Amino acid sequence: MNKNIILIGFMGVGKGTIARALVKQSDYFAIDTDDLIQSLENKKVKEIFDTYGEPYFRDLEKKCALWCEKNVVKSIISTGGGFYKQPNIKEIGTVIYLKSTFENIIQGLKDAPNSAKKFKKRPLLNDLVEAEKLYNQRVKEYETIADITVDVSDFNEEKAVNNILKAIK
Ligand code: S3P
């Protein structure tokens, strides 16, 4: 494997966790678009949304996507759930969609040890009715944009990593 790998998918599906597991199987590094944006602004994503609003955050995602395309190599890039909309995403690397059902994602977040924190840091998960609508809007788009779709609804991290490695060989 040589190209960057970009993990897309809905909030809480486990993009960061799977990115960190994937780098253990290679000499790649893991980076996360939300982390890059947070360090650029010196603010958490929630603070950016609260202070400047969502459109400002989306502009930062665009800047991040353009920077990744020009500067990032040999990396597993986990992304925020809306990053898949960046028009240059395919120029950054191979796009892998981590797919799960809305119910499983929310259940996984509820069962996590630091569950309250995981909900609190995600402004678009404040209202679960709205979040489900967003999921339903995005689910087809994720699949359409992706080069590869990997089902992670069973929370089996090892299986997901093996499936990704097999798919990108
Ligand atoms: C968002 C997902 C979040 C973060 C922001 C917006 C989205 O990242 O980028 O709150 O639009 O789905 P995670 O997918 O890591 O939660």
Side-chain angles (χ1 to χ4, degrees):
M1 93 188 189
N2 244 323
K3 273 172 90 178
N4 293 317
I5 303 295
I6 304 152
L7 302 180
I8 64 166
F10 201 66
M11 291 171 270
V13 78
K15 291 160 288 186
T17 307
I18 290 179
R20 286 185 288 276
L22 271 170
V23 289
K24 292 196 180 134
Q25 313 270 344
S26 74
D27 59 347
Y28 274 37
F29 205 79
I31 60 171
D32 180 277
T33 58
D34 280 346
D35 288 347
L36 292 169
I37 288 168
Q38 289 183 154
S39 75
L40 180 69
E41 290 286 297
N42 195 24
K43 281 188 173 59
K44 296 288 181 196
V45 168
K46 187 181 164 3
E47 282 178 84
I48 299 172
F49 267 68
D50 290 349
T51 313
Y52 307 116
E54 185 175 342
Y56 182 86
F57 175 76
R58 300 300 173 198
D59 283 348
L60 292 171
E61 281 191 318
K62 179 166 300 300
K63 187 180 174 102
C64 180
L66 293 170
W67 181 81
C68 286
E69 181 186 341
K70 296 233 160 16
N71 299 292
V72 178
V73 290
K74 292 196 87 170
S75 297
I76 315 280
I77 308 172
S78 52
T79 62
F83 191 86
Y84 75 100
K85 292 199 174 171
Q86 293 307 317
N88 69 330
I89 192 162
K90 305 275 250 192
E91 266 59 71
I92 305 173
T94 304
V95 179
I96 301 188
Y97 169 39
L98 303 182
K99 180 181 179 172
S100 184
T101 61
F102 182 74
E103 290 71 23
N104 282 16
I105 291 171
I106 298 304
Q107 199 53 52
L109 287 170
K110 284 183 176 163
D111 293 342
N114 43 357
S115 176
K117 201 172 151 206
K118 284 184 183 285
F119 278 99
K120 220 171 149 212
K121 73 172 194 177
R122 295 182 163 101
L124 300 179
L125 281 185
N126 275 349
D127 176 339
L128 288 185
V129 174
E130 287 304 314
E132 186 166 15
K133 281 189 205 156
L134 188 63
Y135 175 91
N136 289 330
Q137 275 167 30
R138 285 179 174 177
V139 74
K140 269 270 146 258
E141 294 173 4
Y142 283 134
E143 208 146 355
T144 305
I145 196 85
D147 298 304
I148 298 159
T149 295
V150 175
D151 193 319
V152 296
S153 51
D154 59 2
F155 296 109
N156 186 333
E157 188 184 305
E158 198 183 323
K159 193 174 118 197
V161 167
N162 287 335
N163 284 342
I164 293 170
L165 290 173
K166 238 189 285 162
I168 59 180
K169 260 194 186 136

